[in-house]
Amino acid sequence: HVALRFLAAELGAVEIPPLAVAEPRRLRWPAWAPLAAAAAVLAVVGVWWMAGSGKRQAASEDVLVARNVEGSAFRVRGSGEEKRPLAEGDQIRVGERIETGVDGRVTLAWAREATTVQLGGEAGFRVQGSGKSALLERGALTASVAKQGRGRSFMMETPHARAAVVGTWLSLDVQPDRTRLEVLDGKVRFSRLADGRELDVAAGRWALFGDAT
């Protein structure tokens, strides 16, 4: 650069100004950038929490609780290796079986909806599936089923038939050779397991499915 200035002076040219060296520019984040990043993190956490909350709520809705236990009643796990007296407030898990003696009376209630099942004497009742399916192996029950959500139903099975309930009041009586359904309110889709025959049983009516019917 000094040589160029000297040469320019000799030639009578205009003096060349000193070269200016530009400093590197620093990137500046907008003032709202930290707030936007924090909002994005909160949104992700919120979606994760809502998803988990929905699963927890669905699970709690399917929990059964023993109410009004009278006389002899037992809860049985597995194939019968663990059997103990049923107490009021016990939570019944999927796969567990409730047995009542001749003098036994039990009311089972779902934790987050107004669905109840009352078991009579010498009944055998097992919770299946997601908790919204049950098997009455023997004996009698009366069920008051809250209206189920769209696309959902409460399934009640016996050795002979299946009752799909979306919200009603009914009674079932199971004997070794047949199952009797009586609908007190609402309507129930009643199916025979042997051949799949179906009946829509309305309030005030009853139906019978069994080995010979």
Side-chain angles (χ1 to χ4, degrees):
H1 182 67
V2 174
L4 289 175
R5 293 185 62 187
F6 175 78
L7 179 59
E10 290 293 328
L11 298 175
V14 178
E15 183 179 359
I16 299 175
L19 293 177
V21 179
E23 295 183 0
R25 297 181 59 185
R26 295 181 180 179
L27 294 177
R28 294 184 179 180
W29 291 98
W32 47 264
L35 295 177
V41 172
L42 290 176
V44 172
V45 173
V47 170
W48 171 82
W49 174 257
M50 291 296 291
S53 177
K55 293 179 181 178
R56 288 189 295 271
Q57 181 176 0
S60 61
E61 286 177 354
D62 293 341
V63 171
L64 282 77
V65 181
R67 306 293 188 197
N68 304 324
V69 179
E70 301 177 7
S72 57
F74 303 90
R75 62 187 300 182
V76 183
R77 295 181 180 177
S79 57
E81 64 273 8
E82 184 178 348
K83 180 176 181 179
R84 68 179 182 83
L86 181 67
E88 187 170 331
D90 282 353
Q91 291 189 0
I92 313 304
R93 297 181 176 87
V94 172
E96 290 188 329
R97 187 170 184 264
I98 304 301
E99 296 180 354
T100 58
V102 176
D103 62 339
R105 297 290 185 275
V106 175
T107 299
L108 302 175
W110 271 252
R112 287 184 174 268
E113 67 176 44
T115 294
T116 58
V117 170
Q118 296 177 334
L119 301 176
E122 295 187 295
F125 180 88
R126 186 185 300 275
V127 183
Q128 302 184 128
S130 64
K132 287 298 184 69
S133 176
L135 172 65
L136 180 64
E137 299 172 343
R138 68 171 191 268
L141 66 75
T142 300
S144 177
V145 181
K147 187 174 182 179
Q148 303 297 294
R150 185 175 181 180
R152 300 187 68 184
S153 63
F154 185 99
M155 301 298 297
M156 191 78 67
E157 293 189 7
T158 75
H160 317 99
R162 178 185 297 113
V165 185
V166 294
T168 189
W169 184 20
L170 61 90
S171 67
L172 283 171
D173 182 67
V174 177
Q175 298 298 325
D177 61 342
R178 52 90 175 156
T179 295
R180 185 181 188 274
L181 164 72
E182 182 178 0
V183 179
L184 307 174
D185 184 48
K187 185 170 68 174
V188 175
R189 175 67 57 86
F190 198 41
S191 309
R192 184 164 55 193
L193 297 181
D195 58 5
R197 182 188 176 191
E198 295 184 344
L199 296 174
D200 287 331
V201 186
R205 297 186 176 276
W206 60 272
L208 189 71
F209 278 147
D211 296 339
T213 57

